[in-house]
Amino acid sequence: MSASSVANRTIALSGMYQAAQCVIDLATTGDCDPFYYAQSINSLFVFDPNTTLDVFGGELKNIEGGIKGVRHFYEHKNSPNHQQMIKTLLSLIALHKQATKEPELLKVIHSRLTHIEYKQAHFSDDDSAIATSLSGLYQDTLSQLKFRIIVQGNIQHLNNRVISDKIRALLLAGFRATLLWRQVGGKRWQLVFKRGEMEKSAQFLLSQLQQQPIDK
């Protein structure tokens, strides 16, 4: 993959942000942007990327929601969404830190993802079936760690099996993006102390995106 750079870290963080926003939206409203949801899920099945952006299909438009989120990350610091986003991002980072101490668990995740990808390609393209499989993978692996992500929202939505499966699948995608973020030099402290750099990089990526026709 490409060497560490501010742009690569911003792309990876945008992937984290986009998955996290879909989690928040599902938990609070029962729905999320279907395009960004699909792109987050698709990132789980990119096993040998050549570049950071390849994880997200090689197109900035696939993480446009995340890039915009990073760009405006600190503009509404007192909003409930901002507080939930901070909590979710920090939880993903904490989950990653603990998971990396369990190399066998990471191998299991990779192995089962390849199996799910095979089933998706050959037997089913049913989104709900894929979400159920990914939810089960999350429950069997990352949910067994000492640190567990607590998702807050509307209890009616959280108790809905279809929605809860999608949330766990997205948390797995968020974990994958966090792994990517760490691989390209992302650090927890950068969320605070590299704010200007992060926003400037996101604005640059958005300017590149605006020069391209958007067909979402």
Side-chain angles (χ1 to χ4, degrees), residues 3-209:
S4 174
S5 72
V6 176
N8 286 328
R9 290 196 296 273
T10 306
I11 288 169
L13 182 61
S14 296
M16 293 169 61
Y17 194 107
Q18 188 162 286
Q21 187 62 63
C22 285
V23 167
I24 293 169
D25 289 345
L26 281 169
T28 55
T29 72
D31 198 11
C32 70
D33 187 296
F35 177 79
Y36 295 140
Y37 170 83
Q39 298 310 315
S40 293
I41 297 305
N42 289 343
S43 71
L44 287 166
F45 305 114
V46 180
F47 301 116
D48 297 299
N50 292 316
T51 69
T52 307
L53 190 57
D54 281 350
V55 175
F56 306 104
E59 299 282 350
L60 287 173
K61 67 177 182 179
N62 294 341
I63 50 168
E64 181 182 4
I67 298 172
K68 287 180 176 179
V70 171
R71 172 63 183 86
H72 300 293
F73 192 44
Y74 293 96
E75 289 189 2
H76 305 285
K77 292 189 288 186
N78 296 322
S79 71
N81 184 77
H82 180 84
Q83 298 304 316
Q84 284 183 288
M85 180 59 67
I86 284 286
K87 182 178 180 180
T88 305
L89 291 178
L90 292 179
S91 294
L92 286 170
I93 293 171
L95 186 68
H96 169 270
K97 182 178 180 180
Q98 190 167 121
T100 52
K101 298 176 183 178
E102 304 285 347
E104 290 303 315
L105 179 140
L106 295 177
K107 290 180 182 178
V108 169
I109 291 175
H110 182 273
S111 175
R112 285 183 57 177
L113 282 174
T114 59
H115 181 62
I116 293 171
E117 181 196 35
Y118 180 83
K119 287 200 303 181
Q120 179 185 30
H122 293 85
F123 301 107
S124 173
D125 58 359
D126 182 355
D127 289 343
S128 62
I130 298 303
T132 298
S133 295
L134 292 173
S135 175
L137 171 55
Y138 183 87
Q139 288 176 295
D140 292 342
T141 55
L142 297 176
S143 274
Q144 301 303 312
L145 295 172
K146 185 176 181 180
F147 177 84
R148 301 179 66 181
I149 296 179
I150 304 300
V151 176
Q152 296 180 326
N154 185 309
I155 193 65
Q156 181 179 354
H157 301 319
L158 295 175
N159 285 338
N160 182 300
R161 187 189 63 78
V162 173
I163 294 175
S164 62
D165 279 348
K166 287 185 175 182
I167 286 174
R168 294 189 192 97
L170 285 164
L171 289 175
L172 192 61
F175 173 81
R176 195 270 179 268
T178 306
L179 176 61
L180 178 66
W181 181 66
R182 292 288 289 158
Q183 287 175 334
V184 295
K187 306 289 184 182
R188 188 176 186 271
W189 58 267
Q190 292 169 354
L191 294 178
V192 176
F193 297 107
K194 290 292 185 178
R195 166 188 170 183
E197 182 180 79
M198 182 172 65
E199 291 179 337
K200 184 177 180 180
S201 178
Q203 182 58 49
F204 174 74
L205 292 175
L206 284 174
S207 69
Q208 287 189 314
L209 184 58

